[in-house]
Amino acid sequence: MKSLLVLSVFSLLLTCDTAVNPALQRAGIGNNSSPVSIDDISARAVLDEVNALRARGCKCPNSRYSPPVPPLHWEEKLEQAAQSHADDMYRGRYFDHNSADGTSFSDRISRTGYQWQAVGENIAKGQPTARTVVHAWANSKGHCLNMMNPKFDDMGVGKNGPYWVQDFGARKED
C-alpha cells in the first residue's frame, strides 16, 4: 500500500501525467514491478501511453505547450534498432545514445532498412514498467519533445534489463 501511495504522489507531480489503459491494468501492465526484458504487451503499453499523451497534448518541462498530435504507429524496423541498442547497452554496461563502437541512433535505424526523413531517440535506465518509463520521459524536456513531435509517425521500443530505448521516425516521402 505504501508503494502505491508513493506512486500516486509521483503521478500527481508529473507535468504530463499519463493514465494507464484499464485493459492494460487488467493484463498486469503498470503493476509489474520488474520485467527483465520487454515483451509484446509491454512494448505496446509504451505505445499506448505515448499515444495517450499525444492525444491530449502536453506542456513539456521548460518548454511551451505542445498541442495534441496524431498517434504514432508501431514500426518493427524501429523496434529492431531500439532492441539492438538496448541489448548493446546491457552487454556493455553503458548508457549513451551512441553505441560503444560510436554508431549513432540514425545509423542503427538506417541499417534496418527504414527509409527516414527524420528520426529521434529516447533512452532510459531503471524504470520497471512501461508507465514509469513514459512518465520519466514526459518529465524530461528533450524526451518529452520527442514524444510530442508532430513530425514523427512511427515508433519502436526495445528493453533489456534496466535499459529502455524508444526510437521515432518519419518515413521519406516517395
Side-chain angles (χ1 to χ4, degrees), residues 47-168:
L47 179 65
D48 287 347
E49 291 282 344
V50 172
N51 281 339
L53 181 72
R54 288 171 67 94
R56 72 176 169 270
C58 173
K59 180 171 182 334
C60 294
N62 302 314
S63 185
R64 65 186 188 289
Y65 175 75
S66 296
V69 292
L72 295 168
H73 303 99
W74 190 259
E75 170 50 58
E76 290 182 12
K77 291 176 180 177
L78 293 176
E79 176 187 17
Q80 179 185 349
Q83 188 62 54
S84 171
H85 191 48
D87 293 344
D88 192 55
M89 286 193 295
Y90 180 79
R91 278 191 306 273
R93 300 292 190 244
Y94 70 93
F95 184 70
D96 198 311
H97 287 283
N98 289 326
S99 298
D101 66 2
T103 304
S104 70
F105 65 88
S106 58
D107 293 331
R108 289 188 299 273
I109 291 169
S110 292
R111 270 194 235 143
T112 68
Y114 183 83
Q115 299 293 312
W116 58 270
Q117 64 179 350
V119 290
E121 179 174 84
N122 288 345
I123 60 175
K125 181 180 176 190
Q127 293 77 12
T129 66
R131 184 175 192 200
T132 58
V133 76
V134 172
H135 279 232
W137 285 327
N139 281 299
S140 167
K141 180 181 179 180
H143 296 107
C144 182
L145 291 172
N146 269 345
M147 291 190 297
M148 294 303 297
N149 189 331
K151 291 180 183 175
F152 294 140
D153 302 308
D154 300 319
M155 185 187 89
V157 176
K159 183 180 186 315
N160 193 333
Y163 300 93
W164 294 84
V165 179
Q166 180 181 45
D167 284 337
F168 301 94

Side-chain angles (χ1 to χ4, degrees), residues 16-45:
C16 300
D17 185 28
T18 55
V20 172
N21 179 322
L24 295 172
Q25 278 183 324
R26 286 190 297 279
I29 303 304
N31 300 325
N32 188 355
S33 61
S34 58
V36 175
S37 62
I38 200 156
D39 57 28
D40 188 54
I41 295 172
S42 296
R44 301 303 169 142

